[in-house]
Amino acid sequence: QKEVEQNSGPLSVPEGAIASLNCTYSDRGSQSFFWYRQYSGKSPELIMSIYSNGDKEDGRFTAQLNKASQYVSLLIRDSQPSDSATYLCAVNGNTGKLIFGQGTTLQVKP
Amino acid sequence: DVKVTQSSRYLVKRTGEKVFLECVQDMDHENMFWYRQDPGLGLRLIYFSYDVKMKEKGDIPEGYSVSREKKERFSLILESASTNQTSMYLCASTPDGNSPLHFGNGTRLTVT
């Protein structure tokens, strides 16, 4: 089992819809969870951090964390074509290093 | 804002050359990392460092070495470049193990 798992996609949603990206992790001791957005040919850009159970909202983005079920998700409301990118889930492992998922490719169609 | 600067955006080298990739961060971060990213393989950790003159192997250290003589600078060295080291190389830094990584813009290295 991979330490951090994401569906590679592509996830295709129409413009204006809600995109839901999911991530599961294996280390129950993980404390920090991050979502990065990566455009093709560019480096990852941090868009959300979440440290405690529940929801955290920032503009059109909402991160949701459920430590009991070991999953973290990212919701993007009112999806725009400019949101088309690969979204990386990252979780801090038991060695203090961040463990990255393989990423989910999101396509927002006009 | 944290700034992580990688010295080259694109680099073309020949097989067998010694290659230096430089990374500098301006936020006094303790921890620095080097990753490579290839299609379908995701981000793979090459080496990391938690302090000056300290280095730890990541998941794929073979063929690479690193140097951290100053806190702000972390260099990745390809001792003898090979074509299978053609990749996007990403440097990142963070103040501690619970904080997010801040990435540089990446270096697209091609070895011919």
Side-chain angles (χ1 to χ4, degrees), chain B residues 32-89:
Chain B
M32 297 187 75
F33 302 79
W34 274 106
Y35 292 86
R36 64 177 283 178
Q37 188 175 34
D38 303 285
L41 296 178
L43 281 164
R44 292 184 291 169
L45 182 62
I46 305 171
Y47 266 97
F48 60 102
S49 169
Y50 289 151
D51 201 354
V52 176
K53 296 197 186 283
M54 175 273 178
K55 60 186 178 184
E56 291 282 349
K57 292 180 180 179
D59 300 318
I60 52 162
E62 296 79 19
Y64 303 94
S65 62
V66 290
S67 171
R68 194 168 181 198
E69 295 295 319
K70 294 185 177 181
K71 191 174 185 178
E72 67 271 19
R73 185 181 297 271
F74 193 35
S75 303
L76 180 69
I77 304 156
L78 286 67
E79 297 291 343
S80 177
S82 63
T83 55
N84 63 13
Q85 292 179 310
T86 291
S87 186
M88 168 72 95
Y89 288 88

Side-chain angles (χ1 to χ4, degrees), chain A residues 31-32 34 36 38 41-46 49 51 88 92 95-102, chain B residues 9 33 35 37 40-43 45 48 50 88 90 97-101 103-106 108:
Chain A
Q31 297 293 322
S32 309
F34 309 101
Y36 288 82
Q38 187 174 25
K42 303 293 186 181
S43 63
E45 170 194 11
L46 178 71
S49 304
Y51 299 93
L88 301 171
N92 78 328
T95 59
K97 293 180 292 183
L98 273 192
I99 310 297
F100 286 86
Q102 294 277 353
Chain B
R9 188 76 181 90
F33 302 79
Y35 292 86
Q37 188 175 34
L41 296 178
L43 281 164
L45 182 62
F48 60 102
Y50 289 151
M88 168 72 95
L90 292 160
N98 286 322
S99 298
L101 292 182
F103 286 90
N105 286 334
R108 173 76 64 183

Side-chain angles (χ1 to χ4, degrees), chain A residues 47-48 56-63 77:
Chain A
I47 54 173
M48 290 290 283
K56 179 182 178 183
E57 187 174 317
D58 183 0
R60 295 187 296 112
F61 299 99
T62 298
R77 289 183 299 282

Side-chain angles (χ1 to χ4, degrees), chain A residues 24-101:
Chain A
T24 58
Y25 61 95
S26 60
D27 183 358
R28 286 195 167 274
S30 297
Q31 297 293 322
S32 309
F33 307 85
F34 309 101
W35 283 99
Y36 288 82
R37 177 177 63 199
Q38 187 174 25
Y39 293 113
S40 181
K42 303 293 186 181
S43 63
E45 170 194 11
L46 178 71
I47 54 173
M48 290 290 283
S49 304
I50 188 165
Y51 299 93
S52 54
N53 279 330
D55 294 1
K56 179 182 178 183
E57 187 174 317
D58 183 0
R60 295 187 296 112
F61 299 99
T62 298
Q64 299 175 317
L65 175 61
N66 183 322
K67 289 186 179 180
S69 300
Q70 295 176 247
Y71 83 79
V72 56
S73 61
L74 179 71
L75 300 178
I76 306 174
R77 289 183 299 282
D78 188 24
S79 295
Q80 301 297 309
S82 58
D83 295 325
S84 297
T86 296
Y87 290 80
L88 301 171
C89 172
V91 177
N92 78 328
N94 55 15
T95 59
K97 293 180 292 183
L98 273 192
I99 310 297
F100 286 86

